[in-house]
Amino acid sequence: MTAVMQGVRIVEVAEHTFVPAASALLADWGADVIKIEHVERGDAMRGLASSGIAVVPDDVHVLFEHSNRGKRSLGLDLTSEAGREVLYRLVATADVFLTNKLPGVRTKLGIDVEDLRVHNPRLIYVRGTGQGERGPEADHGAYDSLAFWARAGVAAGVMRPEYGHVPVPPAPGFGDSIGGMTIAGGIASALFHRERTGEATTADVSLMGTAIWSMGQAMALSLQLDVPWTPPPVGTRSNPLTGNYCTADERWLSFTCLQAGRYWPSICAAIERPELARDPRFADHAALMAHSGEAIEILTAAFAARPLEHWRNRLSAFTGQWTVVQHTLEAAADPQAVANGYVQECATATGARFRLAAAPVQFGEQPAIPGRAPEFNEHGDEVLAELGLAPEEVLDLKIAGVVT
């Protein structure tokens, strides 16, 4: 893998998943990421199990590993003048400063853009927020279940009347991980801009803004038609080769064949009904669309009669676009995921093995191999020594509680 971020140093003052996930990706791609953690408790994400909102295994905190792999950790008291001086010295060596602290907190801690640019005019300053850097709620915190999922139309976009409830996000940190990927792209763009122009800019990414972009096509249609976006009602599709069909063992097949007429003979062969390809009702695309209800009934009955493995075999020669609706373990073992390295093996500091989703961008035709997340303050002495602090200075800082 080409380490495209090698030589880039990022200083992170952030917690949880959204913003740390961004620098985790950049660490995968070769950046040196120094994670500044609360001097006593570390990143609040380390204690997520006690919140009761997520199941965290005892042996490996894989949720923390996902968003902190490959980093170095320094426990630092930013509420003290001595702690801020250490941060300023560190920022002077950095290319990027990355934070999810709210405006009021940044001002109180003295880590706003103006505070840090005094020590490094070339510093790219990056903020990840819930609702954005401006507006009446700029200083309000948020989580991806709120700003990304509930507020921006994503949850409403998958709701159906028969559910009787608001669907929850499909995964922990779902919007956070998408937002983190967005921040990583913004940082790369800002670095490129600085390389070309010499200008060190700021970059802002919010969970709400990322979600609105993710809903961009629905948003555009909704605004044009002045109608809130909702999923189409069940039973309204006109193309029998787009949609999902249940198998005999209650698994699902998903089809997206936009040129239904082209692929109809092939699906007829797959379900062992070749005569349907010559049926006048389905003779061409227009006829198939006109008789879509009948075609859907035929396919529904056919797929419901046999189990998934039967259809895996029968559809192997199907020329249209389809897939099995898979759960996470199946996705990780999917031959395409394995061949492309979409899931990677890792190990903790104690040697406990686990696997993580790989960075979604590959360079040099190779997947990035993620490192492990640091233990709390694992690299404290190392980072302080790199700043030129003598052992006795470090000891004084530890005695004062400024560093861990």
Side-chain angles (χ1 to χ4, degrees):
M1 196 276 298
T2 304
V4 296
M5 289 292 164
Q6 188 170 12
V8 172
R9 171 169 283 188
I10 299 168
V11 175
E12 169 194 299
V13 178
E15 300 183 275
H16 298 291
T17 300
F18 169 40
V19 171
S23 54
L25 285 173
L26 298 171
D28 277 3
W29 299 333
D32 175 22
V33 180
I34 300 174
K35 182 179 183 67
I36 306 300
E37 301 196 55
H38 188 281
V39 70
E40 295 176 351
R41 61 167 170 77
D43 185 333
M45 187 72 175
R46 294 184 184 273
L48 184 65
S50 63
S51 70
I53 64 170
V55 177
V56 180
D58 292 334
D59 56 343
V60 185
H61 191 338
V62 288
L63 303 186
F64 186 80
E65 292 283 347
H66 167 72
S67 52
N68 290 283
R69 69 262 207 119
K71 302 178 185 180
R72 298 195 285 166
S73 170
L74 168 64
L76 187 62
D77 180 10
L78 293 179
T79 65
S80 69
E81 184 176 346
R84 287 191 294 274
E85 285 302 319
V86 172
L87 178 70
Y88 295 155
R89 291 178 66 167
L90 192 54
V91 162
T93 72
D95 296 284
V96 179
F97 180 80
L98 177 61
T99 187
N100 66 354
K101 299 302 180 184
L102 295 170
V105 176
R106 297 197 307 262
T107 299
K108 181 179 178 181
L109 294 178
I111 61 170
D112 231 327
V113 59
E114 298 84 3
D115 302 310
L116 301 189
R117 288 267 175 81
V118 171
H119 304 278
N120 185 349
R122 286 177 49 80
L123 186 71
I124 294 168
Y125 192 96
V126 184
R127 297 167 289 221
T129 58
Q131 292 82 219
E133 186 63 16
R134 297 175 298 279
E137 295 183 40
D139 219 1
H140 290 196
Y143 291 96
D144 70 328
S145 59
L146 301 175
F148 184 97
W149 185 254
R151 190 165 186 172
V154 182
V158 296
M159 287 176 67
R160 290 190 180 278
E162 62 267 28
Y163 291 171
H165 66 274
V166 179
V168 299
F174 180 69
D176 288 336
S177 295
I178 296 172
M181 183 167 58
T182 306
I183 294 173
I187 290 173
S189 299
L191 286 167
F192 179 78
H193 176 74
R194 192 185 69 178
E195 183 71 20
R196 286 294 181 91
T197 69
E199 179 191 9
T201 186
T202 59
D204 290 295
V205 177
S206 74
L207 286 167
M208 187 177 181
T210 302
I212 287 175
W213 167 258
S214 300
M215 293 291 290
Q217 291 191 331
M219 188 69 69
L221 285 170
S222 181
L223 292 170
Q224 185 67 19
L225 300 173
D226 196 26
V227 176
W229 176 262
T230 56
V234 176
T236 59
R237 59 191 167 111
S238 60
N239 184 338
L241 290 184
T242 62
N244 307 308
Y245 292 95
C246 190
T247 65
D249 50 352
E250 298 187 340
R251 296 299 304 275
W252 289 88
L253 304 169
S254 185
F255 293 84
T256 304
C257 303
L258 302 184
Q259 297 172 287
R262 174 181 176 182
Y263 298 112
W264 181 250
S266 184
I267 200 69
C268 293
I271 66 173
E272 299 179 88
R273 296 285 304 277
E275 76 280 3
L276 293 174
R278 301 183 296 274
D279 190 309
R281 296 173 297 170
F282 316 127
D284 55 31
H285 186 82
L288 190 57
M289 296 300 100
H291 297 275
S292 62
E294 296 159 83
I296 290 170
E297 286 183 11
I298 291 169
L299 293 178
T300 298
F303 288 126
R306 301 291 181 87
L308 175 61
E309 285 310 307
H310 172 84
W311 294 117
R312 282 190 194 274
N313 294 328
R314 292 298 306 174
L315 291 168
S316 62
F318 176 57
T319 56
Q321 298 77 37
W322 72 284
T323 192
V324 176
V325 177
Q326 299 186 137
H327 57 62
T328 47
L329 294 180
E330 290 172 325
D334 189 304
Q336 284 301 116
V338 173
N340 287 280
Y342 292 153
V343 175
Q344 290 290 322
E345 293 279 348
C346 304
T348 66
T350 60
R353 308 295 299 181
F354 63 98
R355 289 187 288 173
L356 289 178
V361 181
Q362 298 183 0
F363 303 100
E365 300 182 2
Q366 293 292 326
I369 308 301
R372 62 172 176 82
E375 298 294 309
F376 172 51
N377 196 53
E378 179 179 348
H379 307 92
D381 290 349
E382 173 183 297
V383 172
L384 295 173
E386 290 176 4
L387 293 178
L389 292 173
E392 57 271 20
E393 293 178 283
V394 174
L395 180 59
D396 288 342
L397 291 172
K398 289 184 177 180
I399 293 172
V402 174
V403 299
T404 303

